[in-house]
Amino acid sequence: MTTDAPQATPTPNAAFKPRIFSGIQPSGGLTLGNYLGALKRFAQKQDEGIETIYCLVDLHAITVWQDPEKLRQQTREAAAGFIASGVDPARSILFNQSQVGAHAELGWLFNCVARLGWMNRMTQFKDKAGKNAEKMSLGLYAYPSLMAADILLYHATMVPVGEDQKQHVELTRDIAAKFNHDFKTDFFPTPEPLIEGAATRVMSLRDGTKKMSKSDPSDASRINLTDDADMIAKKIRKATSDAEPLPESVEGLEGRAEARNLVNIYAALADMSPAAVVAEYAGAGFGTFKPALADLAVAKLSPISSEMTRLMADPAEIDRVLGKGAEQAAAIARPILEKTYEIMGMIRSR
Ligand code: AQP
């Protein structure tokens, strides 16, 4: 008997090996938001010795129009961004999604598990579609169900993401629980979102109420991982702020979205808490704080940008790394997909 309601008692993850999966869309250049919300933590998780699988989700990127040549370039650039941020292809599996066909196959199976009512609640679709929902691709609407497939295809138990992806990981848990309930199995884990650190939601440098995003039409709204030192410093100098000095405690940032954002960015880059940052800069105006932030950002990001440039000079090597990662990923994914087909009653006779 199937049910439309998410299940209350998910399968305990203790039965599964700890494994991390996460991805980034190669839908533009990587931003400081992607770095602090995702990449930096991807490298930390790998260094903690947990099995890590990271993916450039090109099938997600095409849910909005992508010029084919640019998509290829952006995918290689994003791969360079992962490696330059500390993801080591010898210790993590790194690949692009479309090279492992099992993602699209499990995505379809999950389209038949997820309920329209659940999809209708996804705020990212509403944000991206705005008033033009009728003109959006069907893929953009189905995106969270493919994301559930990306994660569950590896029986991943943990998913490091920024705050904006929390709802999609929750939907993944609902899909896993409904599948397990409907087919009377405990085949899929219910993965946990890992949303940690001071910059789980880096905001636009122009508007502290909007997420920093690679597809924002304003380049001044974000720091790209490919920006050089001058550009990084200029964007921080011009970032929207306010006329008040920094407060003595984080509570004093209430109602000051831009000030809070700049403090959080500083904290995440310096591996400090926001409370420690305001304690250090209490009473300082942005004339003092912005140059300090610019120096810190340049010191942390310039080596990444230089390493990306070096890696991008050899696109064939990047393609080789992605191909090898795809083979490793497929070796894990295929048996899980095959078992899913079998559980659902599909004949497997070849
Ligand atoms: N501003 C952000 N702050 C913190 N984390 C962020 N992430 C993205 N932006 C921020 C995290 O980066 C990972 C990959 O995200 P994505 O590129 O797959 O999709 P997105 O969240 O839709 O990112 P963008 O930049 O806004 O992409 P576009 O403009 O193409 O839609 C995720 O873990 C995300 O949380």
Side-chain angles (χ1 to χ4, degrees), residues 73-159:
Q73 164 78 11
Q74 286 162 191
T75 305
R76 290 185 183 124
E77 191 179 291
F82 271 72
I83 298 168
S85 302
V87 171
D88 174 0
R91 290 188 291 148
S92 292
I93 296 179
L94 177 64
F95 69 108
N96 60 311
Q97 186 187 24
S98 61
Q99 293 211 71
V100 180
H103 285 253
E105 289 180 64
L106 189 62
W108 176 259
L109 300 183
F110 285 169
N111 282 347
C112 302
V113 175
R115 304 290 92 180
L116 281 180
W118 304 357
M119 307 302 277
N120 287 338
R121 286 195 283 276
M122 295 298 111
T123 54
Q124 190 178 79
F125 177 79
K126 291 182 201 162
D127 292 347
K128 287 198 173 176
K131 292 195 176 74
N132 290 319
E134 296 281 317
K135 295 194 175 128
M136 293 297 132
S137 72
L138 182 55
L140 187 66
Y141 186 73
Y143 176 123
S145 143
L146 178 60
M147 178 165 157
D150 300 335
I151 297 165
L152 294 172
L153 193 51
Y154 300 96
H155 279 181
T157 54
M158 292 166 280
V159 190

Coordinates of all heavy atoms in Angstrom, one line a residue, residues 73-159:
Q73 N 33.1 24.6 -20.9 CA 34.1 25.4 -20.2 C 33.9 25.5 -18.7 O 34.8 25.4 -17.9 CB 34.1 26.8 -20.9 CG 34.8 27.9 -20.2 CD 36.3 27.8 -20.4 OE1 36.8 27.0 -21.2 NE2 37.0 28.6 -19.6
Q74 N 32.6 25.8 -18.4 CA 32.2 26.0 -17.0 C 32.4 24.7 -16.2 O 32.8 24.7 -15.0 CB 30.8 26.4 -16.9 CG 30.6 27.9 -17.3 CD 29.1 28.3 -17.6 OE1 28.9 29.3 -18.2 NE2 28.2 27.4 -17.4
T75 N 32.2 23.6 -16.8 CA 32.3 22.3 -16.1 C 33.8 22.1 -15.8 O 34.2 21.7 -14.7 CB 31.8 21.1 -17.0 OG1 30.4 21.4 -17.3 CG2 31.8 19.8 -16.2
R76 N 34.7 22.4 -16.8 CA 36.1 22.2 -16.5 C 36.6 23.2 -15.4 O 37.4 22.9 -14.5 CB 36.9 22.4 -17.8 CG 36.7 21.3 -18.8 CD 37.6 21.4 -20.0 NE 37.3 20.3 -20.9 CZ 37.0 20.5 -22.2 NH1 36.9 21.7 -22.7 NH2 36.7 19.5 -23.0
E77 N 36.0 24.4 -15.5 CA 36.4 25.4 -14.6 C 36.0 25.1 -13.2 O 36.7 25.2 -12.2 CB 35.8 26.8 -15.0 CG 36.4 28.0 -14.2 CD 35.8 29.3 -14.6 OE1 36.1 29.7 -15.8 OE2 35.0 29.8 -13.9
A78 N 34.8 24.5 -13.1 CA 34.3 24.1 -11.7 C 35.1 23.0 -11.2 O 35.5 22.9 -10.0 CB 32.8 23.7 -11.8
A79 N 35.5 22.0 -12.1 CA 36.4 20.9 -11.6 C 37.7 21.5 -11.1 O 38.2 21.1 -10.0 CB 36.7 19.9 -12.8
A80 N 38.3 22.5 -11.8 CA 39.5 23.1 -11.4 C 39.3 23.8 -10.0 O 40.1 23.8 -9.1 CB 40.0 24.1 -12.4
G81 N 38.1 24.4 -9.8 CA 37.7 25.1 -8.6 C 37.7 24.1 -7.4 O 38.1 24.4 -6.3
F82 N 37.1 22.9 -7.7 CA 37.1 21.8 -6.6 C 38.5 21.5 -6.2 O 38.9 21.5 -5.0 CB 36.4 20.6 -7.1 CG 35.0 20.5 -6.9 CD1 34.1 21.3 -7.7 CD2 34.4 19.6 -6.0 CE1 32.7 21.2 -7.5 CE2 33.0 19.5 -5.8 CZ 32.2 20.3 -6.6
I83 N 39.4 21.2 -7.2 CA 40.7 20.7 -6.9 C 41.5 21.9 -6.2 O 42.2 21.6 -5.2 CB 41.4 20.2 -8.2 CG1 40.6 19.1 -8.8 CG2 42.9 19.8 -8.0 CD1 41.0 18.7 -10.2
A84 N 41.4 23.1 -6.8 CA 42.1 24.2 -6.2 C 41.7 24.5 -4.8 O 42.4 25.1 -4.0 CB 42.0 25.5 -7.1
S85 N 40.4 24.1 -4.4 CA 39.9 24.4 -3.1 C 40.3 23.2 -2.1 O 39.9 23.3 -1.0 CB 38.4 24.5 -3.1 OG 38.0 25.5 -3.9
G86 N 41.0 22.2 -2.6 CA 41.5 21.2 -1.7 C 40.9 19.8 -1.9 O 41.2 18.9 -1.2
V87 N 39.9 19.7 -2.9 CA 39.4 18.3 -3.1 C 40.4 17.6 -4.0 O 40.8 18.0 -5.1 CB 38.0 18.4 -3.9 CG1 37.6 17.1 -4.3 CG2 37.0 19.1 -2.9
D88 N 40.9 16.5 -3.4 CA 42.0 15.7 -4.1 C 41.4 14.5 -4.8 O 40.8 13.6 -4.1 CB 43.0 15.3 -3.0 CG 44.1 14.4 -3.5 OD1 44.1 14.1 -4.7 OD2 44.9 14.0 -2.7
P89 N 41.4 14.5 -6.1 CA 40.8 13.4 -6.8 C 41.4 12.0 -6.5 O 40.8 11.0 -6.8 CB 41.1 13.7 -8.3 CG 41.5 15.1 -8.4 CD 42.1 15.5 -7.0
A90 N 42.6 12.0 -5.8 CA 43.1 10.7 -5.4 C 42.4 10.2 -4.1 O 42.5 9.1 -3.7 CB 44.6 10.8 -5.1
R91 N 41.8 11.2 -3.4 CA 41.1 10.8 -2.1 C 39.6 10.9 -2.1 O 38.9 10.4 -1.3 CB 41.7 11.6 -1.0 CG 43.1 11.3 -0.6 CD 43.7 12.0 0.6 NE 43.8 13.4 0.4 CZ 43.7 14.3 1.3 NH1 43.3 14.0 2.5 NH2 43.9 15.6 1.0
S92 N 39.1 11.7 -3.1 CA 37.6 11.9 -3.2 C 37.3 11.5 -4.7 O 38.1 11.6 -5.6 CB 37.2 13.4 -3.1 OG 37.4 13.8 -1.8
I93 N 36.1 11.0 -4.9 CA 35.6 10.7 -6.2 C 35.1 12.1 -6.8 O 34.2 12.7 -6.2 CB 34.6 9.6 -6.3 CG1 35.2 8.3 -5.8 CG2 34.0 9.5 -7.7 CD1 34.2 7.1 -5.7
L94 N 35.6 12.5 -7.9 CA 35.2 13.8 -8.5 C 34.8 13.5 -10.0 O 35.7 13.0 -10.7 CB 36.3 14.8 -8.4 CG 36.1 16.2 -9.1 CD1 34.9 16.9 -8.4 CD2 37.3 17.0 -9.0
F95 N 33.6 13.8 -10.4 CA 33.2 13.5 -11.7 C 32.0 14.4 -12.1 O 31.5 15.1 -11.3 CB 32.7 12.0 -11.8 CG 31.5 11.7 -11.1 CD1 30.3 11.5 -11.7 CD2 31.4 11.8 -9.7 CE1 29.1 11.2 -11.1 CE2 30.2 11.5 -9.0 CZ 29.1 11.2 -9.7
N96 N 31.7 14.4 -13.4 CA 30.5 15.1 -13.9 C 29.4 14.2 -14.1 O 29.5 13.1 -14.6 CB 30.8 16.0 -15.1 CG 31.2 15.2 -16.3 OD1 32.1 14.4 -16.2 ND2 30.6 15.5 -17.4
Q97 N 28.2 14.6 -13.6 CA 27.0 13.7 -13.5 C 26.6 13.0 -14.8 O 26.3 11.8 -14.7 CB 25.9 14.7 -13.0 CG 24.6 14.1 -12.6 CD 23.6 15.3 -12.4 OE1 23.7 16.4 -12.9 NE2 22.6 15.0 -11.6
S98 N 26.7 13.7 -15.9 CA 26.1 13.1 -17.1 C 27.0 11.9 -17.6 O 26.5 11.1 -18.4 CB 26.0 14.1 -18.2 OG 27.3 14.6 -18.5
Q99 N 28.2 11.7 -17.0 CA 29.0 10.6 -17.4 C 28.6 9.3 -16.7 O 29.1 8.2 -16.9 CB 30.5 10.8 -17.2 CG 31.1 11.9 -18.1 CD 32.5 11.6 -18.4 OE1 32.9 10.7 -19.1 NE2 33.4 12.5 -17.9
V100 N 27.7 9.4 -15.7 CA 27.1 8.3 -15.0 C 25.6 8.2 -15.2 O 24.8 8.9 -14.5 CB 27.5 8.3 -13.5 CG1 27.0 7.1 -12.7 CG2 29.0 8.5 -13.3
G101 N 25.2 7.4 -16.2 CA 23.8 7.4 -16.6 C 22.9 7.0 -15.5 O 21.7 7.3 -15.6
A102 N 23.4 6.3 -14.5 CA 22.5 5.9 -13.4 C 21.8 7.0 -12.7 O 20.7 6.9 -12.2 CB 23.3 5.1 -12.4
H103 N 22.4 8.2 -12.7 CA 21.7 9.4 -12.1 C 20.3 9.7 -12.7 O 19.3 9.8 -12.1 CB 22.6 10.7 -12.2 CG 23.7 10.6 -11.3 ND1 23.8 11.4 -10.1 CD2 24.9 9.9 -11.3 CE1 25.0 11.2 -9.5 NE2 25.6 10.3 -10.2
A104 N 20.3 9.7 -14.1 CA 19.1 10.0 -14.8 C 18.1 8.9 -14.6 O 16.9 9.1 -14.5 CB 19.4 10.3 -16.3
E105 N 18.6 7.7 -14.6 CA 17.7 6.5 -14.5 C 17.0 6.5 -13.1 O 15.8 6.4 -13.0 CB 18.5 5.2 -14.7 CG 18.9 5.0 -16.1 CD 19.6 3.7 -16.3 OE1 19.1 2.6 -16.1 OE2 20.8 3.7 -16.6
L106 N 17.8 6.7 -12.0 CA 17.2 6.7 -10.7 C 16.3 7.9 -10.5 O 15.3 7.9 -9.9 CB 18.3 6.6 -9.6 CG 17.7 6.4 -8.2 CD1 17.0 5.1 -8.0 CD2 18.8 6.5 -7.1
G107 N 16.7 9.0 -11.2 CA 15.9 10.3 -11.2 C 14.5 10.0 -11.7 O 13.5 10.4 -11.1
W108 N 14.4 9.2 -12.8 CA 13.1 8.8 -13.3 C 12.3 8.0 -12.3 O 11.1 8.3 -12.1 CB 13.2 8.1 -14.7 CG 11.8 7.7 -15.1 CD1 11.2 6.5 -15.0 CD2 10.8 8.6 -15.6 NE1 9.9 6.6 -15.4 CE2 9.6 7.9 -15.8 CE3 10.8 10.0 -15.9 CZ2 8.5 8.4 -16.3 CZ3 9.6 10.6 -16.3 CH2 8.5 9.8 -16.5
L109 N 13.0 7.0 -11.7 CA 12.3 6.2 -10.8 C 11.7 7.0 -9.6 O 10.6 6.8 -9.2 CB 13.2 5.1 -10.2 CG 13.8 4.1 -11.3 CD1 14.6 3.0 -10.6 CD2 12.7 3.5 -12.2
F110 N 12.5 8.0 -9.2 CA 12.1 8.8 -8.1 C 11.0 9.8 -8.5 O 10.2 10.3 -7.7 CB 13.2 9.6 -7.4 CG 14.1 8.7 -6.6 CD1 15.3 9.1 -6.1 CD2 13.7 7.4 -6.2 CE1 16.1 8.3 -5.3 CE2 14.4 6.6 -5.4 CZ 15.7 7.0 -4.9
N111 N 10.9 10.2 -9.8 CA 9.8 11.0 -10.3 C 8.5 10.3 -10.0 O 7.4 10.9 -9.9 CB 9.9 11.2 -11.8 CG 10.9 12.3 -12.1 OD1 11.4 13.0 -11.2 ND2 11.3 12.4 -13.4
C112 N 8.6 8.9 -10.0 CA 7.4 8.1 -9.8 C 7.1 7.9 -8.3 O 6.1 7.2 -7.9 CB 7.5 6.8 -10.6 SG 7.7 7.1 -12.3
V113 N 8.0 8.3 -7.4 CA 7.9 8.2 -6.0 C 7.5 9.5 -5.4 O 6.5 9.6 -4.5 CB 9.2 7.7 -5.3 CG1 9.1 7.6 -3.8 CG2 9.6 6.3 -5.9
A114 N 8.1 10.6 -5.8 CA 7.8 11.9 -5.2 C 6.4 12.3 -5.6 O 5.9 11.9 -6.7 CB 8.8 12.9 -5.8
R115 N 5.8 13.1 -4.7 CA 4.4 13.5 -5.0 C 4.4 15.0 -5.5 O 5.2 15.8 -5.0 CB 3.6 13.4 -3.7 CG 3.5 12.1 -3.0 CD 2.7 11.0 -3.8 NE 3.5 10.3 -4.7 CZ 3.1 9.3 -5.5 NH1 1.8 9.0 -5.5 NH2 3.9 8.7 -6.3
L116 N 3.4 15.3 -6.3 CA 3.3 16.7 -6.8 C 3.2 17.7 -5.7 O 3.8 18.8 -5.8 CB 2.1 16.8 -7.8 CG 2.3 16.3 -9.2 CD1 1.0 16.5 -10.0 CD2 3.5 16.9 -9.9
G117 N 2.5 17.3 -4.7 CA 2.3 18.2 -3.5 C 3.6 18.6 -2.9 O 3.8 19.7 -2.5
W118 N 4.5 17.6 -2.8 CA 5.9 17.9 -2.2 C 6.6 18.8 -3.1 O 7.3 19.8 -2.6 CB 6.7 16.6 -2.1 CG 6.1 15.5 -1.3 CD1 4.9 15.5 -0.6 CD2 6.7 14.2 -1.1 NE1 4.7 14.3 -0.1 CE2 5.7 13.4 -0.3 CE3 7.8 13.6 -1.5 CZ2 6.0 12.1 0.1 CZ3 8.1 12.3 -1.1 CH2 7.2 11.5 -0.3
M119 N 6.6 18.5 -4.4 CA 7.4 19.4 -5.4 C 6.8 20.8 -5.4 O 7.6 21.8 -5.5 CB 7.3 18.8 -6.8 CG 7.6 17.4 -6.9 SD 9.3 17.0 -6.3 CE 10.3 17.4 -7.8
N120 N 5.5 21.0 -5.2 CA 4.9 22.3 -5.2 C 5.4 23.2 -4.0 O 5.2 24.4 -4.1 CB 3.4 22.2 -5.2 CG 2.9 21.7 -6.5 OD1 3.6 21.9 -7.6 ND2 1.7 21.2 -6.5
R121 N 5.9 22.5 -3.0 CA 6.4 23.3 -1.9 C 7.8 23.7 -2.0 O 8.4 24.4 -1.1 CB 6.2 22.5 -0.6 CG 4.8 22.3 -0.2 CD 4.6 21.8 1.3 NE 4.9 20.4 1.4 CZ 3.9 19.5 1.1 NH1 2.7 19.8 0.8 NH2 4.2 18.2 1.2
M122 N 8.5 23.4 -3.0 CA 10.0 23.7 -3.2 C 10.2 25.2 -3.4 O 9.8 25.7 -4.5 CB 10.6 22.8 -4.3 CG 10.6 21.3 -4.0 SD 11.6 20.9 -2.5 CE 10.3 20.4 -1.4
T123 N 10.8 25.8 -2.5 CA 10.9 27.3 -2.6 C 11.9 27.7 -3.7 O 11.8 28.7 -4.3 CB 11.4 28.0 -1.3 OG1 12.5 27.3 -0.9 CG2 10.3 27.8 -0.2
Q124 N 12.9 26.8 -4.0 CA 13.9 27.2 -5.0 C 13.2 27.3 -6.4 O 13.5 28.2 -7.2 CB 15.1 26.3 -5.1 CG 16.2 26.8 -6.0 CD 17.5 26.0 -6.0 OE1 17.5 24.9 -6.7 NE2 18.5 26.3 -5.3
F125 N 12.3 26.4 -6.7 CA 11.6 26.5 -8.0 C 10.8 27.8 -8.0 O 10.9 28.5 -9.0 CB 10.7 25.3 -8.1 CG 9.9 25.4 -9.4 CD1 10.5 25.0 -10.6 CD2 8.6 25.8 -9.4 CE1 9.8 25.2 -11.8 CE2 7.9 26.0 -10.6 CZ 8.5 25.6 -11.8
K126 N 10.1 28.1 -6.9 CA 9.3 29.3 -6.9 C 10.2 30.5 -7.1 O 9.9 31.5 -7.9 CB 8.6 29.5 -5.6 CG 7.5 28.4 -5.5 CD 6.7 28.6 -4.2 CE 6.0 27.4 -3.8 NZ 5.6 27.3 -2.4
D127 N 11.4 30.6 -6.4 CA 12.3 31.7 -6.6 C 12.9 31.8 -8.0 O 12.9 32.9 -8.6 CB 13.5 31.5 -5.6 CG 13.1 31.7 -4.2 OD1 12.0 32.1 -3.9 OD2 14.0 31.3 -3.3
K128 N 13.2 30.6 -8.6 CA 13.9 30.7 -9.9 C 12.8 31.0 -11.0 O 13.1 31.6 -12.0 CB 14.6 29.4 -10.2 CG 15.9 29.3 -9.4 CD 16.9 28.3 -10.0 CE 18.2 28.4 -9.2 NZ 19.2 27.4 -9.6
A129 N 11.6 30.4 -10.8 CA 10.6 30.5 -11.9 C 9.9 31.9 -11.8 O 9.5 32.5 -12.8 CB 9.6 29.4 -11.7
G130 N 9.8 32.4 -10.6 CA 9.1 33.7 -10.3 C 7.7 33.7 -11.0 O 7.0 32.7 -10.8
K131 N 7.4 34.7 -11.7 CA 6.1 34.8 -12.3 C 6.0 34.0 -13.7 O 5.0 34.0 -14.3 CB 5.7 36.3 -12.6 CG 5.5 37.0 -11.3 CD 4.8 38.4 -11.5 CE 4.5 39.1 -10.2 NZ 5.7 39.7 -9.6
N132 N 7.2 33.4 -14.1 CA 7.2 32.8 -15.4 C 7.2 31.3 -15.3 O 7.7 30.6 -16.2 CB 8.5 33.2 -16.1 CG 8.5 34.6 -16.5 OD1 7.5 35.1 -17.0 ND2 9.6 35.3 -16.3
A133 N 6.5 30.7 -14.3 CA 6.6 29.3 -14.1 C 6.1 28.5 -15.3 O 6.7 27.5 -15.7 CB 5.7 28.9 -12.9
E134 N 5.2 29.0 -16.1 CA 4.7 28.3 -17.3 C 5.7 28.2 -18.3 O 5.7 27.3 -19.2 CB 3.5 29.1 -17.9 CG 2.3 29.2 -17.0 CD 1.4 28.0 -17.0 OE1 1.3 27.4 -18.1 OE2 1.0 27.5 -15.9
K135 N 6.7 29.1 -18.3 CA 7.7 29.0 -19.4 C 9.0 28.3 -18.9 O 9.9 28.2 -19.7 CB 8.1 30.5 -19.7 CG 7.0 31.2 -20.4 CD 7.5 32.5 -21.0 CE 6.3 33.2 -21.8 NZ 6.2 34.6 -21.4
M136 N 9.0 27.8 -17.7 CA 10.2 27.0 -17.2 C 10.2 25.6 -17.8 O 9.2 25.1 -18.1 CB 10.2 27.0 -15.7 CG 10.4 28.3 -15.0 SD 12.0 29.0 -15.5 CE 11.5 30.7 -16.0
S137 N 11.4 25.0 -17.8 CA 11.5 23.6 -18.2 C 10.9 22.7 -17.2 O 10.9 23.0 -16.0 CB 12.9 23.2 -18.5 OG 13.6 23.1 -17.3
L138 N 10.4 21.5 -17.7 CA 9.9 20.5 -16.8 C 11.0 20.0 -15.9 O 10.8 19.7 -14.7 CB 9.4 19.3 -17.6 CG 8.7 18.2 -16.9 CD1 7.6 18.6 -16.0 CD2 8.2 17.1 -17.9
G139 N 12.3 20.1 -16.4 CA 13.4 19.7 -15.6 C 13.7 20.5 -14.4 O 14.0 20.0 -13.3
L140 N 13.4 21.8 -14.5 CA 13.6 22.7 -13.4 C 12.7 22.3 -12.2 O 13.0 22.3 -11.0 CB 13.4 24.2 -13.7 CG 13.8 25.2 -12.7 CD1 15.2 25.2 -12.3 CD2 13.3 26.6 -13.1
Y141 N 11.5 21.9 -12.6 CA 10.5 21.5 -11.6 C 10.9 20.2 -11.0 O 10.7 20.0 -9.7 CB 9.1 21.4 -12.3 CG 7.9 21.1 -11.4 CD1 7.4 22.1 -10.6 CD2 7.3 19.9 -11.4 CE1 6.4 21.9 -9.8 CE2 6.3 19.6 -10.6 CZ 5.8 20.6 -9.8 OH 4.7 20.4 -9.0
A142 N 11.4 19.3 -11.8 CA 11.7 17.9 -11.3 C 13.1 17.9 -10.6 O 13.5 16.8 -10.1 CB 11.7 16.9 -12.5
Y143 N 13.9 19.0 -10.7 CA 15.2 19.1 -10.2 C 15.4 18.4 -8.8 O 16.3 17.6 -8.6 CB 15.6 20.6 -10.1 CG 16.9 21.0 -9.6 CD1 17.7 21.8 -10.3 CD2 17.2 20.8 -8.2 CE1 18.9 22.3 -9.8 CE2 18.4 21.3 -7.7 CZ 19.2 22.0 -8.5 OH 20.4 22.5 -8.0
P144 N 14.5 18.6 -7.8 CA 14.8 18.0 -6.5 C 14.7 16.5 -6.5 O 15.4 15.9 -5.7 CB 13.7 18.6 -5.6 CG 13.2 19.8 -6.3 CD 13.4 19.5 -7.8
S145 N 13.9 16.0 -7.4 CA 13.8 14.5 -7.4 C 15.1 13.9 -8.1 O 15.6 12.8 -7.6 CB 12.5 14.1 -8.2 OG 12.6 13.1 -8.9
L146 N 15.7 14.6 -9.0 CA 17.0 14.2 -9.6 C 18.1 14.3 -8.5 O 19.0 13.5 -8.3 CB 17.4 15.0 -10.8 CG 18.7 14.7 -11.5 CD1 18.9 13.2 -11.9 CD2 19.0 15.6 -12.7
M147 N 18.0 15.4 -7.7 CA 19.0 15.6 -6.6 C 18.9 14.4 -5.6 O 19.9 14.0 -5.1 CB 18.7 17.0 -6.0 CG 19.7 17.2 -4.8 SD 19.7 19.0 -4.4 CE 20.3 18.9 -2.7
A148 N 17.6 14.0 -5.3 CA 17.5 12.9 -4.4 C 18.2 11.6 -5.0 O 18.8 10.9 -4.3 CB 16.0 12.6 -4.2
A149 N 18.0 11.5 -6.3 CA 18.7 10.3 -7.0 C 20.2 10.4 -6.9 O 20.9 9.5 -6.6 CB 18.3 10.2 -8.4
D150 N 20.7 11.7 -7.1 CA 22.2 11.9 -7.0 C 22.7 11.3 -5.6 O 23.8 10.7 -5.6 CB 22.5 13.4 -7.0 CG 22.1 14.0 -8.3 OD1 21.9 13.3 -9.3 OD2 21.9 15.3 -8.3
I151 N 22.0 11.7 -4.6 CA 22.5 11.3 -3.2 C 22.2 9.9 -2.9 O 23.1 9.2 -2.4 CB 21.7 12.2 -2.2 CG1 22.0 13.7 -2.4 CG2 22.0 11.8 -0.7 CD1 21.0 14.7 -1.8
L152 N 21.0 9.4 -3.2 CA 20.7 8.0 -2.8 C 21.3 6.9 -3.7 O 21.4 5.8 -3.2 CB 19.1 7.9 -2.7 CG 18.5 8.8 -1.7 CD1 17.0 8.8 -1.8 CD2 18.9 8.3 -0.2
L153 N 21.7 7.3 -4.9 CA 22.4 6.4 -5.8 C 23.7 5.9 -5.1 O 24.2 4.8 -5.5 CB 22.8 7.2 -7.0 CG 23.2 6.4 -8.3 CD1 22.3 5.3 -8.6 CD2 23.3 7.4 -9.4
Y154 N 24.2 6.6 -4.2 CA 25.5 6.2 -3.5 C 25.2 5.8 -2.0 O 26.1 5.6 -1.3 CB 26.5 7.3 -3.6 CG 26.8 7.7 -5.0 CD1 26.1 8.7 -5.7 CD2 27.7 6.9 -5.7 CE1 26.3 9.0 -7.0 CE2 27.9 7.1 -7.1 CZ 27.2 8.2 -7.7 OH 27.4 8.4 -9.0
H155 N 23.9 5.7 -1.7 CA 23.6 5.4 -0.3 C 24.3 6.4 0.6 O 24.8 6.0 1.7 CB 23.9 3.9 0.1 CG 22.8 3.0 -0.3 ND1 22.9 1.6 -0.1 CD2 21.7 3.2 -1.0 CE1 21.8 1.0 -0.6 NE2 21.0 2.0 -1.1
A156 N 24.4 7.6 0.2 CA 25.1 8.6 1.0 C 24.3 8.9 2.3 O 23.1 8.9 2.3 CB 25.3 9.9 0.2
T157 N 25.1 9.1 3.4 CA 24.4 9.3 4.7 C 24.5 10.8 5.1 O 23.7 11.2 6.0 CB 25.0 8.4 5.8 OG1 26.4 8.7 5.8 CG2 24.7 7.0 5.5
M158 N 25.4 11.5 4.5 CA 25.5 12.9 4.8 C 25.7 13.8 3.6 O 26.4 13.4 2.7 CB 26.8 13.1 5.7 CG 26.7 12.5 7.1 SD 28.3 12.4 7.9 CE 29.0 10.9 7.1
V159 N 25.1 15.0 3.6 CA 25.2 15.9 2.4 C 25.6 17.3 2.9 O 24.7 18.0 3.4 CB 23.8 15.9 1.7 CG1 23.9 16.6 0.4 CG2 23.2 14.5 1.5

